[in-house]
Each structure stands twice: as structure tokens, then as C-alpha cells.
Amino acid sequence: MVFAREASRALRARGVEVEEFFVESRTSPRALWHDWRRLRALVLRGDFDALHAQYGAVNGFLCAAAAGRLPLVLSLRGSDLNRVPSMNPLRNALTRLLSQAAAWRADAVICVSKALRSQLWCGRRKVVVIPTGVDLDVFRPAERSQARDALGWPPEEPVALFNAGKAPLQKGLPLVQAAIDLLHAQALPVRLHVTTGGHTRYEMERFFNAADCLVLASETEGSPNVVKEAMACNLPVVSVDAGDVRERLRDAAPGSIVTRDAHALAQGIREALASGARSNGRSLLQRQGLGQADTVARLHEVYASLARGQAGAAGRTST
């Protein structure tokens, strides 16, 4: 998980010692048993102040089962707690149940949006909302022409950017393609550039600066990083109302939040392209305190509060 690695890097820069642990499989009982034994052995070494599960579902439940008396922090990010229409209903229900169980065990729960916090069954006093922050040194505005030259894109071609990740149905790719088809039928030759999660942060920054707008059409979200990264580059965003997007894009211009409909999405894209302007997203993001330095400082405070009476998180955290 890129966001977990980035948080680890930022925490180390603040003087927190972090040891990373990666689950080998989320489906194989034998592999999960092996992962539990490995994680339990780390916990029993006794030199950690907290264990941080970076996602609910199997990850969160595994950490809850291995933590013992070690304080557990659980981060919930969206599809681990939301109902996902395109996911197998039984798998989706099990995912949410495991996340709720892990939240009951956790000593502190971090939700990336207020909507996720409202779904929790556990007591709210241990829950804090901290969206994942954006590294503003990486994601920053750059000249559109230079970004296009580097990518080999034609200078005047209208381009809408869409991140399908590893779950194109959940991210709404068919809906976005239908909206693009409508624009083509209206003689607007916009090209849809789809990314699939295999790019570095620096490659994504170039896409944000080269494109004319970002389109988000997810069935469900927590606090979509792609929207905040686009905002940091002042790329206009056209989005359905998912996760905390409405809160993030309040006062953003150009850009819009539209209904989950191909015609509405097409109209939003058309308006963003017609404006020909970059957005005010970066200044909004900074005003909302969503630079990585700000959000990691809040995460550090959560660790410090669990450090068994110490003044700060002076020991080590396993993530």
C-alpha cells in the first residue's frame, strides 16, 4: 500500500521508529496462519509501543488477533467498511464484519472520512477522522505543455484522466466510458486516459499536470487520494458524490460534483474542458490541513496517546 509506505517514511522523518509488516495472503488459511505466527512473534519481542493495522478486513482482524496486550491502532479506508455493489455480497459482508470486529478490539480507530466513522459499531470516543494527506513536495502544479511533452501527448488534445486502479468496476469505468461516448457523439473529441495503479507518484504527478480534468465515478469511497493529489496539482475534478469528495471540493473551481449518471458526468467534463483553466485545489487542500506533514503529525499524536503514559511515541511502531 503506497499510502502506508509514505506514512512510514514521514513518521521516520519525525523520529518515530517504524517496522513494516506485510501480509503474504488474504485468502489462504495456511498463509494467514503463517502471517499470524510471524506477527505474533514480533509482538512478543516486547519492543513496540503500538501495532498499526493499515486497513480493516483480513488485515485488521489479523492484527487484532495478534496484538495481545499491545495497543492496536486501526485505520479504516473505505471498501473495508462500505457496502460495495460490484463486490460479491457474501465477501463484502464478511469484509465489513471483520472490520467491525477489529474496530471493537482496537484502542484507537482512524477513519479517513466522517461517513466511515458514522458506520462503526464501537464507541466513538476512540475514533478520530484523519484523511490520508498528500505529499505537497511531489504533487505540485507544473507547466501543462512541459508535462505533455514528457508524455508525448499532443499539445491541444482534450484529455480526461481516470484512475481505474485494480477494481475498474468499483471505480466506475463503464459509467465514465459511457460519458465519454456521449461527448464523442456531440463532436467533442476528448480522450480518456485510464491509469491502473501501476504508476509511481512522480508519473501520476505528470499525468495530473498534463490532463485537463480528473474524473471520479466510484461506487463507494472513503477519502479518495486521487482527488486530493489532483487538487494539489490544481487539476479540475469532476466527481460523483462519493466518500468525502463533497467536503474536499467545496469552493473548488472549475470542477463539479454530479449525479451518478452518464449525461450528468458528460456535462461536468464538458464544462471543465470549456473553462480551460486550472483549479484552486491546492490552496483548498492546504486550508483543509491535508498536506502529508499535517496529517502525519495528527497520526503521531494518536501514537503518543497510546505510548503507555510516555510524553510521546518514543519507541517503535509496527505497521
Side-chain angles (χ1 to χ4, degrees):
M1 296 181 182
V2 174
F3 52 80
R5 292 188 179 97
E6 287 305 306
S8 294
R9 180 187 61 80
L11 283 165
R12 289 188 182 102
R14 294 182 62 89
V16 180
E17 224 182 312
V18 179
E19 184 165 338
E20 297 177 353
F21 178 93
F22 296 97
V23 175
E24 294 180 359
S25 171
R26 296 177 180 83
T27 56
S28 166
R30 176 175 294 183
L32 285 170
W33 170 248
H34 178 64
D35 285 337
W36 179 85
R37 292 183 64 186
R38 288 195 301 124
L39 183 56
R40 185 62 182 155
L42 281 176
V43 169
L44 291 175
R45 276 175 18 195
D47 56 352
F48 294 100
D49 291 315
L51 173 63
H52 189 167
Q54 290 278 2
Y55 199 70
V58 172
N59 276 12
F61 191 79
L62 180 73
C63 290
R69 296 183 179 180
L70 187 66
L72 174 66
V73 181
L74 172 68
S75 285
L76 296 170
R77 299 190 170 275
S79 57
D80 46 5
L81 201 58
N82 286 330
R83 286 181 171 84
V84 182
S86 62
M87 188 183 291
N88 176 282
L90 181 59
R91 179 185 174 189
N92 194 198
L94 180 60
T95 293
R96 300 194 328 266
L97 182 61
L98 291 175
S99 298
Q100 294 282 8
W104 272 105
R105 161 60 184 87
D107 298 275
V109 180
I110 298 171
C111 292
V112 296
S113 69
K114 295 175 183 177
L116 287 181
R117 180 178 61 184
S118 69
Q119 297 184 53
L120 285 172
W121 300 341
C122 66
R124 303 291 170 79
R125 286 184 297 179
K126 65 179 179 180
V127 183
V128 62
V129 176
I130 307 177
T132 302
V134 177
D135 189 336
L136 298 177
D137 291 329
V138 173
F139 296 98
R140 56 192 309 158
E143 286 293 331
R144 177 177 176 272
S145 59
Q146 293 179 2
R148 289 202 166 206
D149 285 345
L151 293 169
W153 291 5
E156 301 304 325
E157 180 184 34
V159 178
L161 182 66
F162 176 77
N163 180 37
K166 297 179 181 178
L169 288 180
Q170 182 181 330
K171 295 297 183 181
L173 180 56
L175 176 60
V176 175
Q177 188 60 64
I180 295 297
D181 290 343
L182 286 172
L183 292 172
H184 289 171
Q186 298 166 12
L188 182 60
V190 58
R191 177 169 67 88
L192 180 65
H193 185 85
V194 180
T195 61
T196 56
H199 298 286
T200 68
R201 297 185 305 156
Y202 300 96
E203 290 170 332
M204 289 303 300
E205 174 270 323
R206 187 164 290 168
F207 289 139
F208 291 135
N209 281 304
D212 295 294
C213 69
L214 173 77
V215 184
L216 186 121
S218 304
E219 295 176 329
T220 180
E221 285 283 358
S223 179
N225 289 344
V226 69
V227 168
K228 291 172 286 187
E229 291 165 355
M231 291 173 66
C233 297
N234 285 338
L235 178 65
V237 178
V238 179
S239 176
V240 299
D241 192 1
D244 67 348
V245 171
R246 183 172 294 278
E247 184 178 358
R248 301 282 77 85
L249 295 180
R250 186 178 297 123
D251 301 324
S256 58
I257 295 179
V258 301
T259 57
R260 196 180 299 279
D261 171 82
H263 290 274
L265 203 58
Q267 182 60 27
I269 296 170
R270 174 181 285 277
E271 291 173 357
L273 295 177
S275 75
R278 307 306 278 183
S279 80
N280 59 340
R282 188 177 181 87
S283 62
L284 292 177
L285 201 68
Q286 291 170 320
R287 192 185 312 163
Q288 294 166 12
L290 293 180
Q292 187 179 73
D294 297 312
T295 57
V296 168
R298 296 176 63 192
L299 174 58
H300 194 181
E301 290 175 6
V302 173
Y303 292 162
S305 70
L306 297 177
R308 297 188 179 96
Q310 298 178 15
R316 304 171 71 187
T317 298
S318 179
T319 61

